[in-house]
Amino acid sequence: MFAIIAENKIREAMLKGEFDDLPGQGKPLKIDDLSNVPDDLRASYILLKNAGVLPEEMELHKEIVNLQTLINRCYDDNADDGEIISLRKKLTEKMLRYDMMMEKRKAGSSNAMISYQNKISRKLGRYK
């Protein structure tokens, strides 16, 4: 019953031209493939993505990648050893926190989560 009412409302709106000149009209939809994300996490990941927020583990992974890049640049720029040691300590702490978070969430037992994590890692850069 509700589907019929909704269809009729959509048809009315189309006849009135309310859907004309919408952004992206005539272009294919960009569909995010979240088939590898576990069902119980899919809705929350979509909400976070729409809000422009990375999940906590991906934000931490991004920080790890940034620290590695910074450390590599320090070696290229011949930075002092104290600065490099400090950055390496921060990197180690973040890597341990990330690994503990993944172990706690038991992400290692889900093939779907591993596949999704690998896709994100390829986009952000690997830390291992």
Side-chain angles (χ1 to χ4, degrees):
M1 174 99 170
F2 290 111
I4 294 170
I5 294 171
E7 269 307 312
N8 289 336
K9 293 288 184 184
I10 291 171
R11 282 194 188 110
E12 281 180 31
M14 287 174 63
L15 291 173
K16 290 179 185 177
E18 293 179 15
F19 295 129
D20 295 344
D21 301 322
L22 290 175
Q25 183 179 5
K27 297 177 185 173
L29 291 175
K30 182 182 176 189
I31 299 174
D32 293 330
D33 180 23
L34 296 177
S35 60
N36 291 325
V37 177
D39 292 337
D40 57 328
L41 294 177
R42 202 169 288 159
S44 59
Y45 274 50
I46 290 170
L47 287 171
L48 289 171
K49 181 178 181 242
N50 290 342
V53 178
L54 285 174
E56 185 181 3
E57 65 271 13
M58 292 299 111
E59 189 66 44
L60 190 56
H61 187 272
K62 187 177 178 182
E63 291 174 18
I64 290 168
V65 171
N66 288 339
L67 276 170
Q68 280 189 323
T69 302
L70 190 57
I71 289 169
N72 292 340
R73 287 189 181 147
C74 284
Y75 283 119
D76 293 343
D77 295 341
N78 296 323
D80 70 52
D81 289 338
E83 186 177 354
I84 294 172
I85 290 171
S86 173
L87 289 172
R88 284 198 161 283
K89 182 179 176 184
K90 286 180 187 177
L91 177 64
T92 302
E93 289 170 358
K94 290 193 184 291
M95 288 171 68
L96 286 171
R97 185 171 158 222
Y98 178 83
D99 290 340
M100 287 171 41
M101 185 184 303
M102 291 292 97
E103 186 175 319
K104 183 178 177 183
R105 293 185 183 187
K106 297 183 181 178
S109 63
S110 168
N111 289 334
M113 188 63 173
I114 291 170
S115 176
Y116 184 71
Q117 183 180 0
N118 288 338
K119 285 182 181 181
I120 297 294
S121 294
R122 281 193 296 275
K123 286 189 178 193
L124 295 176
R126 293 195 180 274
Y127 82 91
K128 288 185 177 183

